[in-house]
Amino acid sequence: MADYAGAKAAIRARLEAGWTTTRITVQNEQPAAPWPPVDVDGVLQPWIQLEVVGLGSSIWTFGTPGNRGWRYPGTIYVHVFAPVGSGEATANQYAVAIGEIFRAAKFYEDGQGSYVRSLSPQVDDGDSGSDDGNWFRVTMSVDFTYWHRG
């Protein structure tokens, strides 16, 4: 049966299936070695981090148990990190391309009325304020709603 945890997993799976250009990290998981990502010459390489932020839930249709509509809004953030000094063009291009993976998408459909619907992606202007001073960050964000029937 579909649920919010499954919706979050489907968001991750959609990103992993649609993005193979850089390494993907996710919250509360240790990245694979080598970390940070480097090429064969030891030069830092871009990478991305997925963050899914839920904003609660609410009922939107009433009915008998198992036949109610629930709405779980949230935002998908994909942070693109590029080495400081490499320019912002690559980070911006990556953020825009990642946004297209989620643009106006409908996925995680269970056939019973539960699914994820994402809206229009946004790309911010970036920031070079990483804790270690090595990374320039650009973030793609897209609002989504997990619609649940249950």
Side-chain angles (χ1 to χ4, degrees):
M1 181 174 161
D3 61 17
Y4 181 70
K8 287 181 69 173
I11 290 167
R12 178 178 178 172
R14 185 173 185 87
L15 177 62
E16 290 173 342
W19 186 256
T20 59
T21 305
T22 65
R23 300 230 338 239
I24 300 171
T25 63
V26 295
Q27 294 177 296
N28 203 31
E29 288 186 20
Q30 183 67 34
W35 191 257
V38 294
D39 66 12
V40 294
D41 297 322
V43 176
L44 292 172
Q45 297 298 299
W47 56 280
I48 66 171
Q49 174 150 11
L50 171 64
E51 179 181 5
V52 179
V53 177
L55 301 174
S57 68
S58 61
I59 194 165
W60 65 279
T61 62
F62 291 88
T64 59
N67 197 30
R68 295 181 178 128
W70 300 89
R71 178 177 41 229
Y72 294 74
T75 304
I76 301 163
Y77 296 98
V78 179
H79 308 286
V80 178
F81 294 91
V84 165
S86 63
E88 65 179 39
T90 297
N92 285 323
Q93 290 167 358
Y94 287 178
V96 168
I98 291 165
E100 292 306 310
I101 295 169
F102 293 103
R103 180 182 294 280
K106 183 179 181 185
F107 56 99
Y108 189 57
E109 295 182 73
D110 73 347
Q112 304 297 313
S114 297
Y115 58 89
V116 172
R117 170 83 70 183
S118 54
L119 301 175
S120 177
Q122 307 291 320
V123 175
D124 74 4
D125 292 330
D127 181 356
S128 58
S130 68
D131 291 342
D132 62 9
N134 291 329
W135 304 101
F136 175 76
R137 179 218 34 89
V138 173
T139 298
M140 183 288 305
S141 61
V142 62
D143 292 334
F144 75 92
T145 302
Y146 167 57
W147 299 92
H148 180 77
R149 186 171 184 176

